[in-house]
Amino acid sequence: MRGRLGGRECLHVPSCRFGLYLALRHWCAPGGRVLMSPVNDDVIFFVVLAAGLRPVQAPLDPRDGSIDTAAVPESVWRGLSAVLTTNLYGNPDPAPELRARCDALGIPLLEDAAHAIGSRVAGRAVGTWGEASVFSLSKHTGAKTGGFLTFADPALRAELAAARDELLHPPRTTAELTYLVRPYAEATVRALRLVKAAHATLRLLGQQEREEIRMPLRARELKQALASAPGLTPFHPWVRVDMHDYRLGPGAARLRRTGRLLARLDTTLAAHRAGTERLLASEWGPGADPGADGLQPLFRVPLLVDDREAAVAALARRRIVTGYLYDPPLDTYAGEVFTDPSPAPEPATWFARHALPVDPRRAAEVLGTLRAAGVRPVRYGDRG
């Protein structure tokens, strides 16, 4: 990872969410306000709260869900303690503009690069613009565990490693065995087309706990947890969702498997880039210009569909599961008690309703299914 990021310091962590908590605790004093995307995993929202910080929801570009810096009022900029990018599905947020804003304000830029391990912006890798960035090895690599906290100042390594080690839970033999068995269990039930059994297996392994897109907020319990912030333990019921091992120290077997998958990353990125090109060229493609950085190897391609429920159902009939949906936006989901709402919420609401995240490696199957089902494309402004 240091080689991929131009020599930037990289610290292995058990999960991206754990690495983000480390970064927020190090670079942001409790009580600060953090600009972030409202179209994001709710786990990330709870990590920000766990760090003792107030989320501030940003306006978005409706084409790809990136932060719209021009739509952030000056009054909001002046009240921030940090900016957290999302790089949703691998589409880069406008890092040069955000970097300039953060420099002018004297606040840190933190990059969530979970979806963007191969993405670039203005000639630089996503994850090299901020004081710190976090990467996931559960996404492109498919390791289902692990990640990296990366940072610009090598002098911080010992301090951040000590903070990591203090928060880690020790490796457990049962967790290691479960991790090693999981791919075979999933493959077996899916090969037998036992969809319900597959979901039951994922729930048993702590990898699928949601009945809806968003987890239940549990506002009363969340208020109680906020009284104890900062700290991971009070927020554990929210932060652990879909990944119970998020703060578990890795065993040797887990690290070996992760290393093998990471070694194949270039091949994986090539496959994602090829599928991305095909999906973006379709009638449902967002229509954004790839720019000077060229085509990104998107983790998921957000096709823009008129009726997403119908599209999801059509794909499900072909046993193509749609994941990584983030609807409704976080300000609608959590309310003003827990977050500052976006000053311009309409584009985010529209994007969250119409984005259909597609695995680019299944581009041909998805396009064929959507066309056969008569799913219509949509553009921002077509409907309110």
Side-chain angles (χ1 to χ4, degrees):
M1 281 299 292
R2 278 197 297 269
R4 290 179 179 276
L5 300 176
R8 190 177 172 93
E9 284 296 312
C10 298
L11 187 70
H12 184 264
V13 290
S15 64
C16 183
R17 61 190 74 177
F18 181 93
L20 178 59
Y21 179 80
L22 272 182
L24 291 168
R25 292 290 290 119
H26 181 87
W27 274 277
C28 302
R33 306 164 76 82
V34 179
L35 186 73
M36 63 181 294
S37 169
V39 181
N40 199 342
D41 193 335
D42 41 34
V43 166
I44 300 303
F45 176 78
F46 292 115
V47 169
V48 174
L49 292 178
L53 301 164
R54 173 79 174 180
V56 177
Q57 304 305 322
L60 301 184
D61 185 327
R63 296 172 301 172
D64 60 12
S66 61
I67 293 176
D68 184 353
T69 55
V72 180
E74 289 299 323
S75 59
V76 172
W77 286 117
R78 289 195 297 271
L80 297 177
S81 301
V83 172
L84 173 64
T85 66
T86 299
N87 304 295
L88 185 63
Y89 305 131
N91 284 306
D93 282 307
E97 292 91 336
L98 293 171
R99 178 72 271 171
R101 276 285 186 173
C102 288
D103 287 343
L105 294 166
I107 61 175
L109 174 63
L110 307 176
E111 298 178 82
D112 182 346
H115 292 178
I117 199 168
S119 296
R120 301 181 68 80
V121 58
R124 287 170 56 178
V126 168
T128 63
W129 290 88
E131 278 77 4
S133 59
V134 287
F135 288 87
S136 171
L137 296 175
S138 295
K139 305 299 188 294
H140 284 85
T141 64
K144 309 296 184 185
T145 186
F148 288 100
L149 169 62
T150 86
F151 42 97
D153 184 357
L156 295 175
R157 185 176 185 86
E159 181 181 351
L160 290 168
R164 174 198 62 184
D165 295 346
E166 185 177 350
L167 289 169
L168 284 178
H169 290 160
R172 296 195 310 268
T173 301
T174 52
E176 290 298 292
L177 290 173
T178 299
Y179 172 75
L180 292 174
V181 166
R182 178 189 169 193
Y184 303 103
E186 291 181 17
T188 299
V189 294
R190 285 176 175 146
L192 295 173
R193 299 184 178 180
L194 302 175
V195 175
K196 291 183 179 179
H199 288 297
T201 300
L202 289 172
R203 284 193 293 272
L204 180 65
L205 297 174
Q207 300 297 325
Q208 187 180 86
E209 301 179 79
R210 306 168 192 265
E211 296 297 327
E212 305 292 338
I213 294 174
R214 296 292 190 192
M215 73 175 84
L217 184 70
R218 303 194 299 278
R220 180 182 299 177
E221 294 91 337
L222 187 57
K223 287 180 183 178
Q224 294 172 348
L226 282 172
S228 301
L232 274 176
T233 300
F235 291 86
H236 182 68
W238 296 271
V239 177
R240 76 168 194 171
V241 167
D242 298 334
M243 183 178 279
H244 288 194
D245 293 348
Y246 75 95
R247 62 186 296 189
L248 189 70
R254 191 180 296 238
L255 288 172
R256 282 195 299 270
R257 182 169 183 268
T258 302
R260 288 196 300 270
L261 291 169
L262 185 57
R264 305 172 193 166
L265 181 57
D266 287 331
T267 300
T268 302
L269 292 177
H272 277 259
R273 192 174 284 107
T276 296
E277 183 174 26
R278 186 167 184 176
L279 290 166
L280 291 181
S282 75
E283 54 267 47
W284 301 280
D289 183 356
D293 292 290
L295 198 66
Q296 310 288 354
L298 298 186
F299 172 61
R300 294 291 183 266
V301 179
L303 301 183
L304 299 177
V305 299
D306 183 35
D307 186 341
R308 190 176 61 208
E309 288 188 11
V312 169
L315 293 172
R317 289 192 290 271
R318 294 288 301 272
R319 294 183 297 281
I320 301 173
V321 178
T322 305
Y324 301 98
L325 293 168
Y326 306 123
D327 185 24
L330 290 170
D331 38 8
T332 302
Y333 162 69
E336 294 186 37
V337 172
F338 301 109
T339 185
D340 286 10
S342 168
E346 294 83 5
T349 300
W350 184 90
F351 182 84
R353 184 190 312 130
H354 291 288
L356 177 72
V358 170
D359 186 340
R361 294 168 299 179
R362 304 192 71 175
E365 297 171 81
V366 168
L367 292 177
T369 300
L370 295 181
R371 286 169 180 149
V375 174
R376 294 183 299 176
V378 68
R379 291 289 179 267
Y380 187 63
D382 288 355
R383 293 185 173 187

